[in-house]
Amino acid sequence: MDYRRTFTLPRLWWILFVLVFASFVVLLLVGGRLYQVAPPVPEKVVTSTGQVLFTRQDIQEGMDVWRSLGGMQLGSVWGHGAYLAPDWTADFLHREAEAIIERRSGRKISALTEPQLARYSAILGSELKVNTYNPETGVIVLSDERERAIRSVQKHYLGLFGANNSMDFHKLRIAYAIQEKPLGLNPDQAILKLSSFWWWTAWASVTQRPDDKVSYTNNWPHEPLVNNTPSAFSFLWTFISVVILIAAIGVLCWFFNRQRATWEDDLVPESGYAATDPLESIQPTASMRATTGYFWIVILLIGFQIVLGAVTAHYAVEGQDFYGIPLSELFPYSLTRTWHVQLAVLWIATAWLGAGLYAAPLIAGREPKFQALGVWLLLLALVVAVVGSLFGEWAAIQGLINDPVINFWFGHQGYEFLDLGRFWQWLIFLGLLIWLGLMARGILPAICRKEDDGHLLLLLLLSSAAVGLLYGTGLLYDRHTHLTLAEYWRWWVVHLWVEGVFEVFAAAWVSWIFVKIGLIRARTAAIYVIFSTAVFLGGGVLGTFHHLYFSGTPESVLALGAVFSALEVVPLALIAFDAHDHWQLKQASPWVAKYRLPLMFFLAVAFWNLVGAGVLGFLINPPLALYYLQGLQTTPTHGHAALFGVYGMLGIGMMLFCLRGLRHQGWSDTLLLWVFWLLNGGLALMVFGSLLPQGLIQGYVSFREPANNL
């Protein structure tokens, strides 16, 4: 079978369109369903005697307090967030269950025998799973016994976050890297509201859905004291996902290897490899030179992020203190982690945006009018957004912003990766739309010329549009949006934007550059990239659901997430071929040696794509694995290896390619070779020497003694 007849460009475009359209239809339909089945936020929570414990307003205001503390950067909720302080959902549920059992038994949990504890747990679990929410009145009714248990847990949080100076609470604050007295005005009132929000997340994690046998969070977290164990669906779809992964890899390998010989022959340009660098004679335009500013910003942000990562890691070992210095009082863990995570996304995105703007005049064949001005204005907007958001997050966590509305808009939103205030989020979104306009001014005229590279450029334009527009989905929730729905839209940005369309943009950008410098044939490159994009997005779009297994979603999300997160990994199994093709290009002609460093970073991208995104991603993606491993160090194992190893290395490689074009006289690669090996070696040591072993040990403890996760 000849791929040239089977996969014509028009047919590939139709395959890509149908796959992406169908995937987004399903994604939106499930999203619409979430609005109907998300765990209800009650109007009131009352005791059987009519005493009001919480109101909807208390829960919503508690969420505001949670934001002011750093949100998901201080512990996690429903498993999403930081890894130093506990998951507050699991923490509240465990402490509430423990308080009830100890009151009933008259003894400490540690004093009960296993049969006694099993008996109390079985009875308590059956009681707490009963759903007492009345949809007509919006009221949840609790027993007086449960009310007393909730009060005891609130007392614990009043001591932890309040002014209690006892040694036990002091040690906990050190272990969690929480500031002494982290809340500003009316701390006791704020802590009570905060605990009402955490109680609601715990209530949803144990209370069964109406007419169902699982809780709103599909029985997460694992808590034997209330008989919270994995659902049957978690087992079923975990096994199915493994089978699908093996079968799909087998089919793709068979097909790819059958066609590979033909593809390799057709990759070489018809006229042979270029004898000299075609970019050597091109004089950089004003806008191309302006992208140097983006790359300087990238270098500064990488340096700052590395420092923040070191401080954040140190907190994980020593708690509050930094070599005896109470650094956490000014820069607490929740802040350094906020900045560390946010800067990772920002410097990677800045590198990619700068690379796109560098290529725009090359694509157009001329400098569009006022292009340089637009490039500088966009850079200014990005700098303002970065600096403003960092300051706002510091002010929020330091308690300098007491108004929850101002905090949401200018301080800390509380959601991991989207921590920045809504105003700064809007500014970045508008900046991305400006970037899209600047890209379109270069790409559209080139597409209209209808040359051989037109299909690649069309994919580059579409992916640029997706980069600009998909970030805007993070604006589709507001301050009072239900947590389940906010998580749904947040993962559109984190998964689809960062892990999805940016990868398509990079593939199209790199392929077009290689076509431009005469190393691969335009038509074959287009077929290769469009086919790869179809395979990647075919699993990647609906793979978003693996982030939402336990976020108040129905069991159908378990099924979709398990299947399509497995399919996400399938194309990564062939990444070695892609790495081989890129690396072989350095032998095409002697002048290609000047691009050795970018090619080395592209080779690293292939390695970390397979290991970080593929192997370590699938380690935690099946429902049963994530049930036990969510919130443990296995998550940052995958996160660091995928985000920095893939997208970071790719951004650095693209940046070096552009800088090489801006400096034709060349430079010595000696120092950069050290940088390459130190970055990759350091990442490997962190992932395999620290994070992964910790995560596996934590996982073992989670399997046996879930209470020890607290």
Side-chain angles (χ1 to χ4, degrees):
M1 182 176 66
D2 189 342
Y3 85 95
R4 287 164 292 193
R5 295 180 180 178
T6 306
F7 292 106
T8 62
L9 282 168
R11 188 174 294 176
L12 277 173
W13 277 114
W14 273 109
I15 292 172
L16 178 60
F17 172 78
V18 170
L19 279 174
V20 173
F21 179 79
S23 297
F24 273 97
V25 166
V26 174
L27 189 64
L28 289 168
L29 287 175
V30 173
R33 179 64 176 157
L34 295 186
Y35 279 84
Q36 300 172 330
V37 301
V41 181
E43 294 298 326
K44 289 188 298 184
V45 178
V46 302
T47 66
S48 55
T49 57
Q51 180 184 356
V52 177
L53 291 176
F54 314 122
T55 65
R56 172 187 287 268
Q57 184 176 351
D58 290 333
I59 294 171
Q60 290 176 337
E61 290 180 1
M63 200 170 182
D64 287 328
V65 178
W66 171 69
R67 288 192 180 96
S68 70
L69 289 170
M72 289 179 178
Q73 305 296 359
L74 182 68
S76 54
V77 171
W78 284 349
H80 292 157
Y83 314 102
L84 189 53
D87 180 273
W88 303 111
T89 302
D91 189 73
F92 202 115
L93 179 62
H94 179 79
R95 293 183 186 280
E96 182 184 0
E98 194 174 60
I100 294 174
I101 290 175
E102 288 183 350
R103 180 176 290 273
R104 288 180 178 181
S105 66
R107 285 179 285 176
K108 289 287 186 182
I109 287 281
S110 57
L112 295 173
T113 65
E114 284 192 20
Q116 290 172 330
L117 185 58
R119 175 173 164 273
Y120 282 112
S121 298
I123 295 171
L124 179 60
S126 64
E127 293 173 355
L128 295 190
K129 292 180 187 301
V130 175
N131 195 333
T132 61
Y133 173 75
N134 187 329
E136 295 180 0
T137 62
V139 174
I140 294 174
V141 179
L142 304 179
S143 66
D144 291 339
E145 180 184 46
R146 193 168 181 185
E147 179 265 339
R148 288 190 292 270
I150 291 171
R151 296 300 186 200
S152 71
V153 180
Q154 287 180 323
K155 183 179 179 181
H156 166 77
Y157 291 134
L158 285 168
L160 180 62
F161 292 97
N164 191 314
N165 294 319
S166 72
M167 185 55 65
D168 287 342
F169 285 118
H170 180 66
K171 287 180 178 179
L172 271 183
R173 284 192 285 270
I174 291 176
Y176 298 164
I178 295 175
Q179 297 162 287
E180 299 290 340
K181 303 177 184 178
L183 293 166
L185 300 175
N186 303 316
D188 287 357
Q189 182 181 357
I191 295 166
L192 291 175
K193 292 182 183 298
L194 174 67
S195 65
S196 69
F197 168 60
W198 287 342
W199 174 84
W200 172 77
T201 67
W203 173 84
S205 72
V206 69
T207 303
Q208 291 181 344
R209 289 183 178 276
D211 303 318
D212 207 339
K213 295 296 184 182
V214 296
S215 74
Y216 287 102
T217 62
N218 292 313
N219 290 355
W220 191 91
H222 180 208
E223 180 49 80
L225 291 185
V226 295
N227 279 348
N228 248 21
T229 57
S231 67
F233 255 51
S234 295
F235 284 93
L236 176 66
W237 288 104
T238 294
F239 301 147
I240 290 175
S241 71
V242 173
V243 172
I244 287 175
L245 175 66
I246 296 171
I249 287 177
V251 170
L252 189 61
C253 286
W254 168 82
F255 171 79
F256 189 84
N257 281 299
R258 183 172 179 175
Q259 305 299 331
R260 180 166 174 76
T262 311
W263 276 344
E264 283 184 328
D265 292 340
D266 281 356
L267 278 173
V268 180
E270 293 88 337
S271 58
Y273 293 119
T276 59
D277 183 1
L279 299 183
E280 188 76 38
S281 59
I282 296 176
Q283 288 299 317
T285 66
S287 67
M288 293 169 70
R289 290 193 297 271
T291 60
T292 306
Y294 288 72
F295 302 139
W296 274 112
I297 294 296
V298 169
I299 294 169
L300 291 174
L301 293 183
I302 289 176
F304 189 28
Q305 194 218 359
I306 290 173
V307 171
L308 290 168
V311 173
T312 304
H314 190 86
Y315 282 147
V317 177
E318 284 204 4
Q320 282 182 345
D321 290 340
F322 186 79
Y323 296 108
I325 303 171
L327 189 65
S328 63
E329 292 304 305
L330 190 59
F331 299 105
Y333 171 85
S334 58
L335 178 68
T336 60
R337 190 177 186 276
T338 295
W339 285 356
H340 178 69
V341 172
Q342 181 175 309
L343 289 179
V345 176
L346 289 173
W347 76 253
I348 291 170
T350 302
W352 292 35
L353 298 183
L357 293 172
Y358 171 84
L362 291 177
I363 295 169
R366 60 180 178 82
E367 174 86 335
K369 194 174 183 179
F370 301 122
Q371 182 83 352
L373 177 62
V375 171
W376 282 115
L377 289 176
L378 174 58
L379 180 62
L380 177 62
L382 292 175
V383 169
V384 170
V386 170
V387 175
S389 64
L390 295 180
F391 177 78
E393 288 152 354
W394 175 82
I397 292 175
Q398 285 295 100
L400 301 178
I401 303 177
N402 292 310
D403 188 301
V405 177
I406 295 176
N407 179 60
F408 182 80
W409 277 90
F410 297 97
H412 204 300
Q413 285 193 49
Y415 295 110
E416 190 179 24
F417 292 104
L418 290 178
D419 309 274
L420 70 172
R422 179 55 55 89
F423 175 81
W424 313 114
Q425 193 179 354
W426 267 107
L427 189 58
I428 290 177
F429 177 58
L430 294 175
L432 288 172
L433 294 182
I434 294 172
W435 174 80
L436 174 58
L438 295 172
M439 291 294 296
R441 297 176 77 208
I443 299 174
L444 281 174
I447 293 176
C448 293
R449 291 198 296 264
K450 298 183 179 180
E451 297 178 353
D452 290 343
D453 60 358
H455 291 279
L456 270 179
L457 292 178
L458 179 58
L459 188 61
L460 185 62
L461 178 63
L462 292 175
S463 60
S464 298
V467 167
L469 297 174
L470 268 179
Y471 184 79
T473 57
L475 302 168
L476 295 178
Y477 62 85
D478 59 27
R479 178 172 147 242
H480 290 312
T481 296
H482 192 289
L483 182 61
T484 296
L485 304 175
E487 282 290 87
Y488 170 75
W489 291 116
R490 180 174 76 93
W491 285 109
W492 273 61
V493 177
V494 180
H495 184 88
L496 290 176
W497 186 67
V498 176
E499 299 180 41
V501 297
F502 256 125
E503 182 138 349
V504 177
F505 170 82
W509 187 94
V510 171
S511 296
W512 184 85
I513 288 291
F514 286 164
V515 169
K516 180 69 176 177
I517 61 179
L519 295 181
I520 56 178
R521 190 178 303 182
R523 184 181 181 280
T524 308
I527 291 174
Y528 191 88
V529 173
I530 296 172
F531 177 80
S532 301
T533 299
V535 173
F536 175 72
L537 292 183
V541 174
L542 295 182
T544 306
F545 287 130
H546 75 252
H547 298 287
L548 300 172
Y549 291 150
F550 313 119
S551 298
T553 56
E555 287 185 305
S556 58
V557 169
L558 277 175
L560 288 167
V563 169
F564 286 95
S565 64
L567 292 177
E568 261 188 302
V569 179
V570 170
L572 302 180
L574 303 179
I575 207 74
F577 293 109
D578 190 47
H580 172 269
D581 291 341
H582 281 160
W583 188 243
Q584 287 296 106
L585 291 175
K586 72 182 180 63
Q587 301 176 8
S589 189
W591 62 266
V592 181
K594 66 187 286 189
Y595 296 111
R596 179 190 179 193
L597 257 298
L599 289 172
M600 288 182 67
F601 275 97
F602 295 155
L603 188 67
V605 168
F607 172 81
W608 290 112
N609 227 337
L610 174 61
V611 175
V615 176
L616 297 177
F618 196 71
L619 172 68
I620 62 174
N621 282 351
L624 195 57
L626 197 61
Y627 182 87
Y628 290 102
L629 300 179
Q630 180 154 279
L632 306 184
Q633 292 293 346
T634 47
T635 303
T637 298
H638 160 62
H640 283 82
L643 185 59
F644 181 53
V646 179
Y647 302 102
M649 296 295 176
L650 189 53
I652 294 172
M654 295 167 75
M655 179 176 70
L656 288 175
F657 199 103
C658 298
L659 290 173
R660 181 61 87 181
L662 290 169
R663 186 180 172 89
H664 288 314
Q665 63 267 39
W667 61 63
S668 171
D669 285 343
T670 303
L671 181 59
L672 286 173
L673 281 171
W674 275 100
V675 170
F676 172 83
W677 288 112
L678 287 173
L679 287 176
N680 283 277
L683 179 59
L685 284 173
M686 178 176 66
V687 168
F688 299 112
S690 176
L691 294 177
L692 183 58
Q694 288 182 62
L696 294 177
I697 292 170
Q698 288 177 330
Y700 176 77
V701 174
S702 176
F703 301 148
R704 293 194 57 181
E705 304 171 67
N708 287 345
N709 291 330
L710 300 177

